[in-house]
Amino acid sequence: MSTLQTIHDVPVLMCAPEGEAIGGEHDVLDLVGNAAYQGAQWVVIPAGRFDETFFRLRTRVAGEIIQKFVNYRVGVVVLGDISRHTASSSALRDFVRECNRGRQTWFLADAEELQERLKG
């Protein structure tokens, strides 16, 4: 179940850590639509909800999922420790670094980091 929260005046849809794995763009359609309907500017998804293919860039799963959020103009946060994935992939490390420089997709370690980012 997802809950809408306001963090520093920013509406954020927080996804529960438990739930079905997210393995493709079809898995986020309802989530993106729900976020847009509720007026959320960001959707926060625990890293553990993503299928392993999301973290292998050559599968293009991450790009397809992120593109859905871009199309609806909703930011997405992958929240949690993904160090085991970035340790084995320089491409993923570079992708995460570039995403974190922008205002659309962030890979953040914890809720405190999210709070800091949303401060403005």
Side-chain angles (χ1 to χ4, degrees):
M1 171 141 230
S2 301
T3 59
L4 188 66
Q5 296 181 9
T6 301
I7 303 172
H8 299 292
D9 295 325
V10 178
V12 177
L13 189 65
M14 304 290 291
C15 296
E18 60 280 338
E20 295 198 25
I22 297 170
E25 63 183 302
H26 58 279
D27 296 328
V28 295
L29 288 176
D30 287 341
L31 185 57
V32 172
N34 186 22
Y37 175 76
Q38 292 192 50
Q41 292 178 15
W42 288 92
V43 174
V44 177
I45 305 170
R49 292 280 305 273
F50 289 97
D51 185 85
E52 293 293 312
T53 57
F54 178 85
F55 299 103
R56 291 194 304 269
L57 296 182
R58 70 178 175 271
T59 66
R60 298 188 174 147
V61 170
E64 292 170 355
I65 288 172
I66 290 169
Q67 188 61 49
K68 286 297 172 199
F69 286 95
V70 170
N71 290 347
Y72 283 85
R73 294 184 174 93
V74 175
V76 62
V77 175
V78 177
L79 190 69
D81 181 13
I82 62 165
S83 60
R84 72 182 177 95
H85 300 289
T86 56
S88 62
S89 172
S90 62
L92 181 60
R93 270 193 310 276
D94 293 343
F95 179 71
V96 168
R97 185 175 49 252
E98 287 302 314
C99 285
N100 284 344
R101 289 182 180 165
R103 294 283 310 155
Q104 171 61 46
T105 305
W106 295 335
F107 290 81
L108 305 177
D110 54 36
E112 289 174 1
E113 194 174 356
L114 175 63
Q115 293 267 346
E116 278 300 308
R117 285 284 189 121
L118 292 177
K119 262 188 185 174

PDB file of all heavy atoms in Angstrom, residues 1 9 64-65 94 102 111:
ATOM      1  N   MET A   1       0.843  -1.184   0.000  1.00  0.00           N
ATOM      2  CA  MET A   1       0.000   0.000   0.000  1.00  0.00           C
ATOM      3  C   MET A   1       0.886   1.244   0.000  1.00  0.00           C
ATOM      4  O   MET A   1       1.890   1.306   0.686  1.00  0.00           O
ATOM      5  CB  MET A   1      -0.897  -0.037   1.225  1.00  0.00           C
ATOM      6  CG  MET A   1      -1.674   1.215   1.464  1.00  0.00           C
ATOM      7  SD  MET A   1      -3.310   0.794   2.026  1.00  0.00           S
ATOM      8  CE  MET A   1      -4.283   1.762   0.946  1.00  0.00           C
ATOM      9  N   ASP A   9       6.762  20.564   2.309  1.00  0.00           N
ATOM     10  CA  ASP A   9       5.743  21.081   1.391  1.00  0.00           C
ATOM     11  C   ASP A   9       5.732  20.387   0.024  1.00  0.00           C
ATOM     12  O   ASP A   9       5.174  20.913  -0.936  1.00  0.00           O
ATOM     13  CB  ASP A   9       5.884  22.596   1.194  1.00  0.00           C
ATOM     14  CG  ASP A   9       5.618  23.368   2.478  1.00  0.00           C
ATOM     15  OD1 ASP A   9       4.746  22.933   3.259  1.00  0.00           O
ATOM     16  OD2 ASP A   9       6.281  24.399   2.702  1.00  0.00           O
ATOM     17  N   GLU A  64      13.137   2.005 -19.113  1.00  0.00           N
ATOM     18  CA  GLU A  64      11.708   1.932 -19.411  1.00  0.00           C
ATOM     19  C   GLU A  64      10.871   2.401 -18.233  1.00  0.00           C
ATOM     20  O   GLU A  64       9.882   3.126 -18.406  1.00  0.00           O
ATOM     21  CB  GLU A  64      11.323   0.500 -19.784  1.00  0.00           C
ATOM     22  CG  GLU A  64      11.907   0.035 -21.095  1.00  0.00           C
ATOM     23  CD  GLU A  64      11.721  -1.450 -21.340  1.00  0.00           C
ATOM     24  OE1 GLU A  64      11.208  -2.160 -20.446  1.00  0.00           O
ATOM     25  OE2 GLU A  64      12.095  -1.915 -22.432  1.00  0.00           O
ATOM     26  N   ILE A  65      11.264   1.989 -17.041  1.00  0.00           N
ATOM     27  CA  ILE A  65      10.516   2.379 -15.840  1.00  0.00           C
ATOM     28  C   ILE A  65      10.649   3.877 -15.598  1.00  0.00           C
ATOM     29  O   ILE A  65       9.648   4.573 -15.372  1.00  0.00           O
ATOM     30  CB  ILE A  65      10.997   1.565 -14.617  1.00  0.00           C
ATOM     31  CG1 ILE A  65      10.514   0.114 -14.744  1.00  0.00           C
ATOM     32  CG2 ILE A  65      10.521   2.197 -13.310  1.00  0.00           C
ATOM     33  CD1 ILE A  65      11.072  -0.830 -13.703  1.00  0.00           C
ATOM     34  N   ASP A  94      27.856   5.046 -12.700  1.00  0.00           N
ATOM     35  CA  ASP A  94      27.798   6.287 -13.478  1.00  0.00           C
ATOM     36  C   ASP A  94      26.358   6.752 -13.658  1.00  0.00           C
ATOM     37  O   ASP A  94      26.056   7.938 -13.546  1.00  0.00           O
ATOM     38  CB  ASP A  94      28.448   6.093 -14.846  1.00  0.00           C
ATOM     39  CG  ASP A  94      29.949   5.857 -14.758  1.00  0.00           C
ATOM     40  OD1 ASP A  94      30.554   6.144 -13.700  1.00  0.00           O
ATOM     41  OD2 ASP A  94      30.516   5.371 -15.759  1.00  0.00           O
ATOM     42  N   GLY A 102      20.376  15.333 -11.134  1.00  0.00           N
ATOM     43  CA  GLY A 102      19.194  15.930 -11.737  1.00  0.00           C
ATOM     44  C   GLY A 102      18.040  16.124 -10.778  1.00  0.00           C
ATOM     45  O   GLY A 102      18.186  16.018  -9.556  1.00  0.00           O
ATOM     46  N   ALA A 111      15.752   7.612   4.326  1.00  0.00           N
ATOM     47  CA  ALA A 111      14.751   8.678   4.433  1.00  0.00           C
ATOM     48  C   ALA A 111      15.366  10.010   4.834  1.00  0.00           C
ATOM     49  O   ALA A 111      14.880  11.062   4.434  1.00  0.00           O
ATOM     50  CB  ALA A 111      13.670   8.267   5.430  1.00  0.00           C
TER      51      ALA A 111
END
